[in-house]
Amino acid sequence: MTATFTEQIPQHGLIVSCQAATGSPLRESLIMALMAESAELGGAAGLRANGAADIAMISSRVDLPLIGINKLGEPAGVFITPTVQAALEIVDAGATIIALDGTQRPRPDGSSLADQLAKIKAETQVPIMADVDTVEAGIAAREAGADVVATTLSGYTDAGDGGPGPDLGLVTALAAAVDCPVIAEGRIRDESEALAALAAGAYAVVVGSAITNPVLTTRRFVERLGTFAS
């Protein structure tokens, strides 16, 4: 029997997202595994990674819970683990938790979220985390069978609100509305924002670019230094 989400990830834990987009100098599975090893040494409670190749490499080198996603299709639509087969592929590769798009947008194969979750659960006992964009989507995802909801897609769809930092309002609203862990993910740039997410009711937080994207970190420094009046 696969451990539940809360058995795998401790409350108030840090989950580090180890991903690099196509075109990044870091876009190699081994490099993502080394990022994951570094996160483990730093005390991360869990990891998030994309695609069977990266997940297999990471799981062979790191002994941490691994939230797997499988990005397929165009980012403008449902592309985070959009099908049952996409979910099963990452479980076979070593994911101990599945994350998928839990928004209320149409799914590429025409199925409902509830149908997708039911079919995944018929094949595997791995906990499922729904990445959502609004409180309504979070409630619907929980009712459809998601074990956990995350604020990952806030600001990345036509619904909900976006902003420069994490959507703390959505964290608070979800924590009051659903009877499952709420994960804060998206645009968490430093420790103060991570702490604010926990204070808003998040069970745990996912941090990606602020830890594992040196291009973005460098750009922020350069832009900030550019504001210095000489």
Side-chain angles (χ1 to χ4, degrees):
M1 185 75 176
T2 303
T4 65
F5 185 90
T6 56
E7 288 171 339
Q8 294 187 51
I9 304 292
Q11 189 171 18
H12 302 159
L14 171 65
I15 301 161
V16 176
S17 182
C18 300
Q19 299 182 55
T22 300
S24 167
L26 305 181
R27 183 50 270 149
E28 294 289 345
S29 293
L30 177 58
I31 295 176
M32 291 300 98
L34 295 175
M35 285 281 194
E37 287 188 52
S38 300
E40 183 178 39
L41 289 172
L47 304 165
R48 177 166 166 135
N50 173 47
D54 285 10
I55 290 167
M57 182 68 75
I58 291 170
S59 63
S60 73
R61 301 175 67 102
V62 179
D63 187 25
L64 282 177
L66 178 50
I67 301 171
I69 62 174
N70 205 350
K71 292 180 177 177
L72 301 171
E74 296 299 322
V78 172
F79 82 117
I80 298 177
T81 324
T83 65
V84 174
Q85 184 58 37
L88 298 181
E89 286 176 4
I90 55 177
V91 173
D92 289 344
T96 62
I97 298 162
I98 298 166
L100 48 73
D101 187 306
T103 68
Q104 296 182 295
R105 297 178 294 176
R107 314 194 79 71
D109 61 3
S111 67
S112 68
L113 177 60
D115 286 342
Q116 183 183 10
L117 295 181
K119 290 176 181 177
I120 292 171
K121 290 191 172 190
E123 297 288 338
T124 177
Q125 297 299 310
V126 174
I128 299 174
M129 183 169 84
D131 293 338
V132 304
D133 51 355
T134 65
V135 65
E136 293 79 13
I139 293 170
R142 175 58 174 160
E143 291 176 346
D147 302 293
V148 186
V149 297
T151 61
T152 316
L153 290 172
S154 171
Y156 297 101
T157 70
D158 292 336
D161 299 318
D167 191 343
L168 300 179
L170 181 56
V171 173
T172 300
L174 285 171
V178 297
D179 62 344
C180 66
V182 173
I183 306 304
E185 180 172 6
R187 303 184 300 277
I188 297 176
R189 298 165 296 184
D190 56 35
E191 300 93 328
S192 64
E193 291 184 340
L195 286 169
L198 295 180
Y203 175 86
V205 298
V206 177
V207 179
S209 294
I211 295 175
T212 59
N213 188 340
V215 174
L216 183 60
T217 302
T218 301
R219 185 176 296 133
R220 284 181 181 150
F221 270 94
V222 170
E223 289 174 352
R224 189 64 182 270
L225 292 175
T227 67
F228 183 79
S230 57

